[in-house]
Amino acid sequence: MSDKVIIFDTTLRDGEQCPGASMNLREKLEVARQLARLNVDVIEAGFPVISDGDFEAVQRIATEVRGPIIAGLARCVTKDIEAAASAVKPAGERGRIHVFLATSKIHREHKLKKAHEEILRLAAEGVRLAKSHTRDVEFSPEDASRTEPEFLARVVETAIGAGATTVNIPDTVGFAVPEQFGALIRYLKDNVRNIDDAVISVHCHNDLGLAVANSLAAVQNGARQIEGTINGIGERAGNVALEEVVMAMKTRPDVFGPLGTGVHTREILKTSRIVSRMSGLHVQRSKAIVGENAFAHSSGIHQDGILKKRETYEIMDPVEVGWGGTELPLTKHSGRHAMAARLEHLGYKLSDEEIDAVFTRFKDIGDKKKFVYDDDLSAIVDDSMMPQAEGWQLRELEVTVATGRKPHAKVVLVRGTETRTGDAEGNGAVDSSMRAIDAVVGRSGNLVEYNVQAVTQGHDALGEVTLKVDFGDGRLITGKGASTDVVEASARAYLNAINRTFIRRELGEQARGV
Ligand code: KIV
Ligand code: ZN
């Protein structure tokens, strides 16, 4: 058995499934390119049958992203498998179809209403159909950890017999505990006749906070693929955080022996930041490996120890996961060429038109801010590249806040050749700005979540606002905006959310009833 643990990233599929995380095509491509630089082995780029947007994202990633295997998810249903096959086709030999079917008693009886034999038949048919399209087929018995082990073994044997090259054992509802989950993997290794014909994978959710422990117990018992997401984003309490399992194996060779991954760990922090920015999901400060405080030492005793010998209080070298890189900031004097080169270095692939749009905002910000750091630049890209090309852009914002009077805002918005003005009162500077925007665009959103973060440090730091808005259909739309002024950043973020709803409608991104 190989010592290499395959890293399967599902940030763009399972990660993207969590409320408010939805990314547009450009954002998904940025994330996928960065995942390739991180050197993950597999990128699950989406669930192609679910929407036109998902299909297009998987297809574009399969076309443009080189290196990792590109997987598309499908139920054991013909239309799903065919959609996944055609979406991953541009990846050629690097295309993988990932089919899944629930196997636990509760899912069989209440969700699928199917008996054992029918589940076995559907699994075999699904894998065979997928296999007629790609050599590389993964099968997942959904809710495997709550499936009777004997039946699970039969399903796994059937899937491998039908041609599955990877069998994934999901802890779909995060129910497993490490000892039992490790034993389940061992049981499959010992009881499935053809198990050596496939790679055993695990896919752990974090409902009990045990996803990392469960994944590691599984590799210690024979699993050789771990599925998870960057920053652990995903449904409910999320998926296993890949950066954590990767660094656990790397940091503790005394426990994991020669087991390891091909991940370029110095890219971890950058990947975390990109995923956080693109998904609008912030990383908690104390999050292992990638949180702001992960390597911060505030107590005097610790600081003293670190200065004497770093290892006294640090089990990993922060540089190994991407902290502490020096960068030369841009300034308002930097030209378009220097800015474009910096963007390329950061991994952005932008057209000339897009660079122009970013450069206009860069100059604007550069006038207000002494140095423009890499994180500022990323925020500027997000802010200026949003689907606003087709939507409304903020030309002017004027807010009056005075004691004893209701805050009042006036906005000037442009879309193509159209210019409109709106004004409104509100409960505060941000609220009145949003209402003034509503007056122009004729929609009204309910602010469900609001977050402001200083992108870099100092009195002139860029503030990045991420908000989630419900426009009345129950879906949460994320909007992002950046400015040296937080009220302006908020107005930009709100407008960004509005523009996203227009784009979504135009792309017909509604779920197709899956
Ligand atoms: O959690 C789960 O069971 C899944 C499967 C589709 C692999 O995401
Ligand atoms: Zn999952």
Side-chain angles (χ1 to χ4, degrees):
M1 201 180 4
S2 158
D3 293 329
K4 160 119 192 240
V5 177
I6 297 165
I7 295 297
F8 177 116
D9 180 281
T10 183
T11 305
L12 294 172
R13 200 276 298 168
D14 225 353
E16 218 248 351
Q17 240 162 271
C18 74
S22 64
M23 299 178 226
N24 62 29
L25 181 59
R26 182 187 68 81
E27 291 165 332
K28 287 183 184 178
L29 276 162
E30 297 294 357
V31 169
R33 285 194 200 102
Q34 178 57 28
L35 289 171
R37 283 191 288 272
L38 183 66
N39 207 31
V40 301
D41 301 286
V42 187
I43 296 175
E44 184 163 59
F47 192 171
V49 82
I50 213 151
S51 70
D52 294 340
D54 252 56
F55 182 91
E56 194 189 353
V58 178
Q59 194 176 48
R60 285 281 297 277
I61 290 168
T63 309
E64 293 182 22
V65 177
R66 298 274 150 258
I69 290 169
I70 309 298
L73 185 67
R75 293 169 301 179
C76 280
V77 169
T78 304
K79 72 170 178 177
D80 286 37
I81 295 170
E82 282 172 355
S86 99
V88 301
K89 197 164 181 193
E93 277 299 288
R94 291 182 300 109
R96 173 181 295 189
I97 301 176
H98 176 190
V99 285
F100 75 99
L101 179 66
T103 51
S104 63
K105 188 165 185 286
I106 188 165
H107 280 240
R108 288 192 316 263
E109 291 179 358
H110 297 276
K111 187 177 93 174
L112 301 175
K113 304 197 189 319
K114 294 199 189 312
H116 289 115
E117 297 310 312
E118 212 173 342
I119 297 284
L120 290 168
R121 182 180 62 77
L122 289 172
E125 280 176 12
V127 171
R128 261 189 239 112
L129 179 58
K131 196 78 185 178
S132 70
H133 293 286
T134 52
R135 185 189 45 80
D136 187 342
V137 173
E138 172 167 331
F139 175 77
S140 289
E142 191 189 5
D143 205 15
S145 56
R146 291 195 299 169
T147 302
E148 308 85 323
E150 304 72 28
F151 181 56
L152 183 64
R154 284 180 69 200
V155 176
V156 167
E157 193 163 309
T158 303
I160 298 173
T165 41
T166 301
V167 280
N168 180 40
I169 307 303
D171 182 23
T172 304
V173 289
F175 179 71
V177 293
E179 208 181 325
Q180 171 243 329
F181 197 57
L184 178 64
I185 301 302
R186 176 66 40 206
Y187 172 84
L188 294 174
K189 274 202 83 66
D190 293 342
N191 291 281
V192 173
R193 261 185 314 108
N194 52 7
I195 196 75
D196 292 335
D197 295 342
V199 171
I200 304 180
S201 167
V202 287
H203 175 115
C204 297
H205 280 268
N206 207 26
D207 300 65
L208 293 173
L210 292 172
V212 171
N214 287 335
S215 305
L216 294 174
V219 293
Q220 286 179 306
N221 283 280
R224 285 295 178 270
Q225 175 175 287
I226 294 180
E227 301 192 3
T229 59
I230 300 299
N231 300 337
I233 66 171
E235 292 249 52
R236 309 182 308 278
N239 291 62
V240 76
L242 287 177
E243 63 277 11
E244 295 180 15
V245 283
V246 167
M247 289 315 291
M249 282 185 275
K250 189 166 174 176
T251 307
R252 297 300 305 269
D254 54 326
V255 175
F256 297 100
L259 289 178
T261 71
V263 165
H264 295 162
T265 59
R266 287 179 184 231
E267 292 289 326
I268 285 179
L269 186 65
K270 191 164 149 198
T271 315
S272 162
R273 293 267 170 91
I274 289 181
V275 168
S276 163
R277 181 157 282 137
M278 299 296 165
S279 64
L281 299 172
H282 289 284
V283 175
Q284 75 188 62
R285 292 189 81 86
S286 55
K287 161 89 178 58
I289 320 288
V290 292
E292 279 296 322
N293 291 356
F295 294 92
H297 303 275
S298 53
S299 103
I301 295 174
H302 289 204
Q303 286 175 348
D304 182 54
I306 290 272
L307 290 174
K308 289 179 174 142
K309 187 160 176 65
R310 189 185 58 75
E311 288 81 355
T312 50
Y313 286 102
E314 267 178 9
I315 59 165
M316 289 166 268
D317 183 347
V319 172
E320 281 303 306
V321 293
W323 287 94
T326 50
E327 58 179 90
L328 278 179
L330 300 169
T331 67
K332 67 173 177 185
H333 302 296
S334 309
R336 185 183 180 284
H337 184 72
M339 189 206 72
R342 195 76 209 152
L343 286 172
E344 201 179 325
H345 169 81
L346 291 174
Y348 289 101
K349 276 212 166 69
L350 307 182
S351 67
D352 280 351
E353 242 180 23
E354 289 168 334
I355 292 177
D356 286 343
V358 176
F359 191 58
T360 308
R361 280 288 285 144
F362 167 78
K363 281 287 171 194
D364 181 30
I365 299 284
D367 273 339
K368 299 177 186 141
K369 201 173 175 321
K370 196 167 170 201
F371 295 119
V372 179
Y373 294 94
D374 288 352
D375 279 349
D376 292 327
L377 203 52
S378 300
I380 295 172
V381 174
D382 288 348
D383 188 47
S384 46
M385 296 257 323
M386 284 316 300
Q388 276 145 1
E390 307 292 317
W392 291 103
Q393 299 198 39
L394 183 70
R395 172 164 296 166
E396 277 172 38
L397 170 68
E398 193 185 307
V399 184
T400 321
V401 183
T403 318
R405 269 197 279 147
K406 270 208 130 186
H408 178 268
K410 185 177 156 205
V411 291
V412 180
L413 304 186
V414 287
R415 183 171 64 173
T417 52
E418 197 182 349
T419 302
R420 283 204 221 160
T421 307
D423 68 321
E425 287 183 340
N427 290 326
V430 172
D431 188 51
S432 56
S433 310
M434 286 170 51
R435 301 295 73 101
I437 290 172
D438 288 345
V440 174
V441 301
R443 309 196 65 179
S444 178
N446 182 24
L447 195 57
V448 177
E449 221 178 282
Y450 178 89
N451 199 302
V452 61
Q453 265 203 334
V455 178
T456 44
Q457 286 166 8
H459 70 279
D460 61 353
L462 209 57
E464 189 177 42
V465 170
T466 306
L467 41 77
K468 297 194 196 311
V469 188
D470 181 353
F471 288 99
D473 60 2
R475 280 181 314 145
L476 293 185
I477 306 292
T478 302
K480 285 174 273 185
S483 168
T484 46
D485 178 87
V486 286
V487 178
E488 184 186 323
S490 309
R492 287 181 177 279
Y494 183 63
L495 200 52
N496 175 235
I498 287 179
N499 286 333
R500 279 177 186 244
T501 63
F502 286 133
I503 298 281
R504 267 181 175 244
R505 272 194 267 156
E506 276 156 29
L507 285 178
E509 272 199 27
Q510 282 83 359
R512 290 173 176 170
V514 175

